[in-house]
Amino acid sequence: MEFDEEVFLTLYGDNLKKYMKDQISQTKVKDNVFEFDITDFLKNYSESCDINDQIIENPKLIEDPLLHIFKKVCMELFGDDDHVLNELEKIQIAFKNPLGCDKRIEEITSSEMNRLVKFEGNIITAAKVCALLKKACFVCRACGEISYKTIHDYFEEPKRYCKNQNCRNEMSIDYDSSSYVNIQELEIQQPIDLMRNPDDPPRSIRVFLENSDGIYSGRVDVVGTVMKKRSKQNQKLPIFEIYAKSNYVKLGESFQKIEVKDIINNYDLINTLDELGKKENIIDILSNYLIPQIKGYDLVKKSIFLQQVKACTKFLPDGSELRKDSHILLITDPGIGKSTMLRKISRLFPQNSYASVTTATGGGLTANVVREATEIGDGWVVKPGVFVRANEGTACIDELTVDKNVMKYILEAMESQTIHVNKGGINVKLPARCAVLAACNPKRGRFDRNMGVVEQIGIPAPLLSRFDLIFPLKDSPDRRRDAEIAEHILDTHVETATKNYSKVLGSIKVDGITVDENLIKNYIIYARTCAYFDENHHLYAGEVDERKIKSPPLSKGAKKLIRDYYVDMRKLGEGNNPVPVTARQLEAAIRISEMHAKARLSREVEEKDAKIAIDIIEECLRQVAYDPETGKFDIDKGMGEIPKSKVDKMDKIVDIIRELSVLSSNGLADECDIVEKASEFQISEKDVSDMLSKLKKSADVFSPKYGYYRLT
């Protein structure tokens, strides 16, 4: 489409002038950028509908006449004194909401060159913000002529020649009198859910974002002009790289907010979801269907299902959000199917992510600042990791214990749900509001029945304490159960081969309602966002303010049940007894009870929800924090610390060594005498050996010669 500026101004000038005057009066100019909302303009001036195609075909050429009209309107409104003129030199036009130019990143090719496109993607690399020469002030050194030129192409040296007929010299840039804007280089990758084939390598495009305040992570909507840059590797050939120049990038709405808008506009779907929510055992049905490849482990599946629903969104008076995500750790024997569970959940929603510590670094899980080849700046870029990409979703971390160095990176992400990076002059805080579903195997490959569960994984106590639920999944032979699992696996293979998904992998009927994977996704989003509250529907019409979303509160009965459970458990730890629970278990019980209430579409957290939450927590405590020596729960044992029963034995061994050392001639305690004395206090020889090893490791005792000990 050939562009003629004079014709353009004749056809659209008057309407553009009216529209801009109205927008300026509403203070729609921010940070020296006027966002020209094409869709909004066409709603008011439908007779100018052709302007949309003109802008798409000629975005660089149209920018200047639009800017000319804008300046004219401003001078009519505010005058034309030097201050106004100087401020107008800083103004830029940004195109917003064009129609009919939506593209996937993989579709942006040479055919789109110099055209306006709109696309969305995830930020995978973000450089620091720099200054860009936007409007160059040219001065003729011979005659003093001054002129201005807007820079459209970053990679061509700006030149201008004097218009004075008697001069015609090449002009110089007066950098002090020129205008500048912020610019940031981003690499934006096509999301998996927008790819034709999710198994193909994802495509990405480099975007130069003008007027950027600094954006480092998230899914974004981009409106930009496709441009070319000479390839550095092929300077002899006319080969160019494609990039996008943009001054309008908007953080996109999360997947769940987009989905919930579709749900609340589909009344038939709402009726189906509401009907499902009324079923007494709907949570058990859906949680089993969520991961159909795995047979059994119903409590684990239920906990993972509730994790996807999430707890209620709540804010403190200072605006900080209380954590609504539940973190789950699976410790499994080989062959249980932990990786299958994690991969299934990672594919459930686009914002869910999967990573295995066998191939991931700490920075790859959280965020990295690295030196990398860039077109602008000093080469320091931010690379958001798995936790940041899983913001508002679930980070599925497999083989957690393979690399101990990785564990320290994810501690902050699990607790504060933010990632701080400070390196190379970049200091940013990235959101990581995600649940964590992690899995690992015991140190020796399989569970050792003579050791506690947590002792066999080597996860530091501070990190371990961040998990609300810890499930050990042991592979214990059982003839009846093994037969069921074998039948289930065989049926799965038959169905995938014949494509007749009827028994294991197909949809299921719940009182006449067909439940498939798409419906269960809708159900989770419907419950998670509390869209079953009619009062919340209007909030999803525009920008969603989470502070206004209504959620099911704790009923008096549920509150009393959780409080009494916590107080009663704490009472068991009075005196010299081990501490059974801490406030972390209290908060976990609250979150899980809220998840359970939301999962059955309840407007209130009732006693039955609190009872389920307590049962789940108690089952986890029974498996990881139960001390058989005392017959009591010991939270230290569950967090990988030494249980109180062993601490008491260690203290007794120290007393025995002290006593024997005083009585001996050489000031040393013979190990045989220690064993004999310890037997009087019902401490076995094996326990003595274990306690001495731990005391040596903690430097409480040392052995100057074999078989003899003394206190340090």
Side-chain angles (χ1 to χ4, degrees):
M1 187 181 294
E2 191 171 336
F3 178 73
D4 186 314
E5 183 173 327
E6 190 173 331
V7 173
F8 178 84
L9 292 173
T10 301
L11 289 174
Y12 311 114
D14 290 341
N15 286 343
L16 287 169
K17 192 173 179 181
K18 292 175 189 175
Y19 179 75
M20 288 183 180
K21 188 173 288 188
D22 179 60
Q23 295 296 297
I24 292 168
S25 65
Q26 298 179 43
T27 62
K28 291 294 180 71
V29 181
K30 298 177 182 177
D31 299 324
N32 297 321
V33 178
F34 173 69
E35 294 178 353
F36 180 55
D37 191 328
I38 300 169
T39 301
D40 186 52
F41 174 77
L42 295 179
K43 284 180 182 176
N44 293 281
Y45 303 97
S46 57
E47 67 274 15
S48 299
C49 59
D50 291 344
I51 196 173
N52 181 72
D53 294 335
Q54 290 271 8
I55 292 172
I56 290 172
E57 294 291 336
N58 306 286
K60 291 194 294 184
L61 298 176
I62 288 177
E63 202 172 307
D64 282 340
L66 285 179
L67 193 56
H68 173 74
I69 296 171
F70 182 86
K71 288 180 178 179
K72 198 171 181 181
V73 170
C74 286
M75 286 189 285
E76 288 179 9
L77 291 173
F78 308 115
D80 57 356
D81 57 48
D82 290 342
H83 175 73
V84 172
L85 294 176
N86 288 334
E87 289 300 312
L88 287 176
E89 289 302 324
K90 303 174 185 176
I91 293 295
Q92 277 188 278
I93 301 294
F95 297 117
K96 180 180 178 183
N97 295 329
L99 301 173
C101 62
D102 293 64
K103 298 285 180 182
R104 294 189 180 97
I105 290 176
E106 62 189 359
E107 295 172 339
I108 301 175
T109 61
S110 56
S111 61
E112 304 298 328
M113 200 73 70
N114 297 317
R115 286 168 53 92
L116 196 72
V117 294
K118 181 181 178 184
F119 59 92
E120 63 178 309
N122 296 311
I123 295 174
I124 60 169
T125 301
K128 65 173 65 173
V129 176
C130 299
L132 169 72
L133 175 66
K134 185 61 182 176
K135 185 155 290 187
C137 175
F138 286 91
V139 178
C140 180
R141 301 301 180 189
C143 67
E145 179 75 17
I146 297 176
S147 66
Y148 292 89
K149 180 182 179 182
T150 300
I151 308 300
H152 291 292
D153 194 330
Y154 310 138
F155 302 105
E156 290 184 5
E157 185 70 25
K159 291 183 179 181
R160 177 161 282 196
Y161 292 90
C162 185
K163 293 181 180 179
N164 192 327
Q165 295 294 332
N166 300 321
C167 185
R168 309 299 291 177
N169 288 320
E170 184 176 346
M171 305 176 80
S172 303
I173 298 177
D174 181 355
Y175 287 100
D176 291 335
S177 301
S178 299
S179 298
Y180 301 83
V181 296
N182 288 346
I183 187 169
Q184 185 182 23
E185 185 176 345
L186 306 171
E187 188 174 358
I188 297 178
Q189 187 178 81
Q190 182 166 314
I192 297 294
D193 56 294
L194 294 182
M195 293 179 64
R196 290 192 183 95
N197 182 1
D199 294 327
D200 287 343
R203 288 279 305 278
S204 64
I205 187 170
R206 191 163 290 185
V207 174
F208 293 92
L209 173 59
E210 297 179 12
N211 300 293
S212 174
D213 291 327
I215 179 172
Y216 295 93
S217 67
R219 184 158 171 158
V220 291
D221 297 318
V222 182
V223 176
T225 305
V226 179
M227 301 186 74
K228 66 182 185 300
K229 177 182 76 69
R230 190 79 179 241
S231 173
K232 292 179 181 178
Q233 284 75 29
N234 294 282
Q235 291 293 332
K236 294 181 180 179
L237 297 175
I239 294 176
F240 299 86
E241 296 175 10
I242 293 174
Y243 71 93
K245 185 193 82 168
S246 174
N247 51 21
Y248 182 77
V249 169
K250 178 188 174 186
L251 273 173
E253 286 190 303
S254 67
F255 169 82
Q256 69 178 31
K257 290 175 183 174
I258 295 170
E259 287 297 295
V260 75
K261 288 178 182 179
D262 293 338
I263 291 172
I264 60 179
N265 290 322
N266 187 335
Y267 298 109
D268 291 337
L269 178 57
I270 286 179
N271 290 334
T272 300
L273 298 176
D274 286 338
E275 192 65 30
L276 276 178
K278 294 174 184 175
K279 308 302 177 189
E280 186 66 30
N281 57 342
I282 188 60
I283 295 175
D284 295 321
I285 294 170
L286 296 182
S287 59
N288 271 305
Y289 180 73
L290 184 63
I291 313 174
Q293 304 97 312
I294 305 298
K295 179 72 174 176
Y297 306 109
D298 294 348
L299 189 64
V300 177
K301 289 182 180 180
K302 178 186 283 190
S303 300
I304 293 174
F305 176 79
L306 295 177
Q307 181 190 46
Q308 296 307 296
V309 173
K310 299 182 181 289
C312 299
T313 302
K314 300 185 289 292
F315 293 88
L316 296 173
D318 63 359
S320 57
E321 185 180 3
L322 295 177
R323 176 157 66 93
K324 62 184 176 183
D325 295 292
S326 177
H327 303 318
I328 298 175
L329 174 64
L330 309 179
I331 311 167
T332 74
D333 276 329
I336 294 294
K338 63 178 176 61
S339 296
T340 301
M341 292 184 188
L342 267 60
R343 290 185 182 278
K344 171 68 176 181
I345 297 303
S346 70
R347 293 193 297 266
L348 190 62
F349 298 116
Q351 70 268 35
N352 290 5
S353 295
Y354 173 89
S356 174
V357 176
T358 53
T359 56
T361 63
L365 289 177
T366 53
N368 247 335
V369 177
V370 298
R371 271 197 182 279
E372 199 170 88
T374 57
E375 299 297 335
I376 61 174
D378 57 7
W380 287 107
V381 298
V382 174
K383 289 194 167 187
V386 171
F387 280 85
V388 179
R389 293 199 300 272
N391 186 44
E392 295 195 20
T394 303
C396 302
I397 311 299
D398 207 353
E399 306 294 351
L400 179 64
T401 54
V402 166
D403 185 353
K404 290 185 178 180
N405 293 323
V406 166
M407 297 183 198
K408 61 186 178 185
Y409 285 87
I410 66 177
L411 184 59
E412 178 194 13
M414 290 182 65
E415 181 59 23
S416 66
Q417 298 196 300
T418 55
I419 306 293
H420 289 83
V421 291
N422 190 351
K423 187 178 179 182
I426 297 175
N427 186 2
V428 294
K429 183 171 73 172
L430 307 176
R433 293 163 54 197
C434 63
V436 176
L437 177 60
C440 64
N441 294 120
K443 288 179 187 176
R444 300 173 182 174
R446 285 189 171 274
F447 280 109
D448 184 340
R449 297 181 182 181
N450 298 316
M451 295 175 64
V453 170
V454 178
E455 294 176 67
Q456 303 183 55
I457 54 175
I459 296 178
L463 177 60
L464 200 61
S465 67
R466 266 57 178 182
F467 288 100
D468 297 89
L469 301 172
I470 302 173
F471 291 105
L473 307 181
K474 300 177 181 178
D475 183 19
S476 302
D478 180 283
R479 186 176 180 82
R480 183 187 61 79
R481 187 168 169 276
D482 290 344
E484 291 176 354
I485 291 174
E487 183 73 17
H488 187 84
I489 293 173
L490 289 166
D491 286 340
T492 301
H493 281 270
V494 170
E495 289 185 17
T496 52
T498 61
K499 303 298 183 286
N500 180 22
Y501 305 118
S502 56
K503 188 175 179 182
V504 177
L505 302 176
S507 59
I508 58 174
K509 289 282 187 180
V510 181
D511 293 346
I513 299 173
T514 302
V515 176
D516 56 16
E517 188 164 310
N518 189 53
L519 187 63
I520 198 172
K521 288 179 183 179
N522 285 325
Y523 189 91
I524 290 172
I525 291 293
Y526 190 59
R528 179 192 292 180
T529 57
C530 291
Y532 58 91
F533 281 78
D534 293 336
E535 306 94 301
N536 290 335
H537 286 195
H538 75 282
L539 295 173
Y540 292 103
E543 292 292 328
V544 181
D545 186 351
E546 292 188 327
R547 290 170 177 79
K548 296 180 180 178
I549 292 176
K550 286 197 171 183
S551 303
L554 287 165
S555 66
K556 289 183 178 179
K559 183 178 174 182
K560 182 178 184 302
L561 195 64
I562 295 173
R563 183 190 61 217
D564 290 349
Y565 169 74
Y566 177 70
V567 172
D568 291 343
M569 289 292 284
R570 292 288 292 180
K571 191 174 182 180
L572 297 175
E574 291 178 353
N576 200 35
N577 292 313
V579 176
V581 294
T582 67
R584 289 190 188 275
Q585 283 69 47
L586 173 64
E587 292 189 353
I590 295 169
R591 280 192 288 269
I592 296 168
S593 60
E594 289 175 346
M595 293 172 189
H596 195 271
K598 289 171 68 176
R600 59 183 187 83
L601 309 186
S602 173
R603 295 180 65 92
E604 189 175 47
V605 181
E606 299 174 4
E607 287 186 46
K608 59 183 173 183
D609 303 306
K611 179 70 168 60
I612 293 291
I614 290 169
D615 289 345
I616 292 174
I617 289 173
E618 278 215 321
E619 180 58 30
C620 288
L621 289 174
R622 191 174 294 112
Q623 296 191 55
V624 301
Y626 180 74
D627 188 350
E629 291 193 27
T630 60
K632 298 174 182 177
F633 290 134
D634 187 340
I635 197 62
D636 288 336
K637 178 180 172 68
M639 293 301 106
E641 302 284 1
I642 300 173
K644 189 177 183 306
S645 60
K646 289 190 176 181
V647 171
D648 291 342
K649 289 180 180 179
M650 288 170 68
D651 290 342
K652 182 56 67 177
I653 298 296
V654 168
D655 291 340
I656 291 172
I657 293 173
R658 181 182 293 111
E659 181 183 338
L660 293 175
S661 298
V662 171
L663 296 175
S664 68
S665 59
N666 58 3
L668 300 176
D670 189 327
E671 186 171 346
C672 294
D673 294 336
I674 297 172
V675 171
E676 184 180 346
K677 189 73 174 175
S679 64
E680 297 176 12
F681 300 96
Q682 287 74 50
I683 302 175
S684 68
E685 184 175 351
K686 182 181 181 303
D687 283 344
V688 171
S689 180
D690 290 343
M691 297 305 108
L692 288 173
S693 296
K694 286 182 168 62
L695 288 167
K696 281 198 295 183
K697 188 179 289 187
S698 62
D700 289 306
V701 304
F702 77 102
S703 177
K705 66 178 183 177
Y706 182 76
Y708 290 86
Y709 296 87
R710 77 176 181 190
L711 302 182
T712 54

